[in-house]
Amino acid sequence: ENFQQVISEFEEELTATCETSEQALREKQEECKELIEQLDRLKEELSDSKETSLQEITRLTDMASTDKASFEELQKKVEVSKEEIKRNEKLLEELREELADSEESERALQEIVALHEASIETLKKELDTATKKAAK
C-alpha cells in the first residue's frame, strides 16, 4: 500500500507537471503565433517599402536619363551655336575687309572726281581764254 501511495503521488505530481508544462507550451505557442504574425506584418511592410524604393529608384533613373539626354542635346546645340558664331565672325571680318576696300575705292574715286573737276575747270578757263583771244 505504501508503494501504491508513492506511485499515486508520483502520478499526481507527474500529471501536475504535465499540465503545467502543457499550459506553458500553450502560452509559448500563443507567443510564437503573435511573433509570427508580427514577423509577417514586418515582411509585408518591408516588401511594400522595397517596392516603393524600387519605384523611386526607377523614377529617379528615368529622370536622370531624361536629364542626361536633355543635357546632351543642349551640348549639341551649343556646339552648333559655336560653329555659327565662328562662321558669322568670319563673315563679319570679310565684310569689314570689303568695307575697308570700298572706303579706299571711294576715296580713290573722290580723288579722280576731284582731278576730273579740276581738269574741267582748267579746260573751261583755257576755253574762255581762247574764246576771248579769238574774239579780239
Side-chain angles (χ1 to χ4, degrees):
E1 192 170 296
N2 196 15
F3 182 70
Q4 193 66 22
Q5 186 179 356
V6 169
I7 290 177
S8 179
E9 286 175 5
F10 180 71
E11 281 181 348
E12 286 175 16
E13 192 177 306
L14 190 56
T15 300
T17 302
C18 282
E19 286 175 358
T20 304
S21 294
E22 284 176 355
Q23 181 62 32
L25 180 61
R26 280 191 295 274
E27 289 172 2
K28 289 295 178 188
Q29 284 176 334
E30 190 61 35
E31 286 178 26
C32 284
K33 182 180 174 184
E34 290 173 9
L35 288 173
I36 289 171
E37 287 172 357
Q38 285 180 348
L39 185 59
D40 287 343
R41 281 192 304 274
L42 288 173
K43 282 181 182 177
E44 190 174 314
E45 287 175 18
L46 181 60
S47 178
D48 291 347
S49 176
K50 181 180 174 184
E51 182 63 29
T52 302
S53 295
L54 286 174
Q55 288 173 351
E56 184 66 11
I57 288 169
T58 301
R59 187 182 72 78
L60 291 173
T61 302
D62 290 346
M63 280 178 54
S65 296
T66 302
D67 289 348
K68 183 179 179 187
S70 296
F71 179 73
E72 288 172 353
E73 184 155 338
L74 284 174
Q75 279 183 317
K76 288 177 185 175
K77 287 181 181 179
V78 165
E79 288 303 315
V80 168
S81 294
K82 284 180 180 179
E83 291 172 10
E84 287 178 8
I85 288 170
K86 286 180 184 176
R87 281 194 304 274
N88 288 339
E89 286 175 343
K90 185 176 179 182
L91 287 173
L92 180 61
E93 186 58 33
E94 289 173 3
L95 287 173
R96 284 182 179 150
E97 288 173 8
E98 286 181 25
L99 178 61
D101 290 346
S102 293
E103 288 172 347
E104 193 175 309
S105 296
E106 184 181 352
R107 280 192 295 275
L109 281 173
Q110 285 174 348
E111 288 176 14
I112 290 171
V113 168
L115 287 174
H116 183 66
E117 288 174 348
S119 294
I120 290 174
E121 284 301 315
T122 303
L123 286 174
K124 281 183 183 177
K125 286 179 185 175
E126 287 177 9
L127 182 59
D128 277 347
T129 304
T131 306
K132 287 181 185 175
K133 281 184 185 179
K136 286 184 182 179

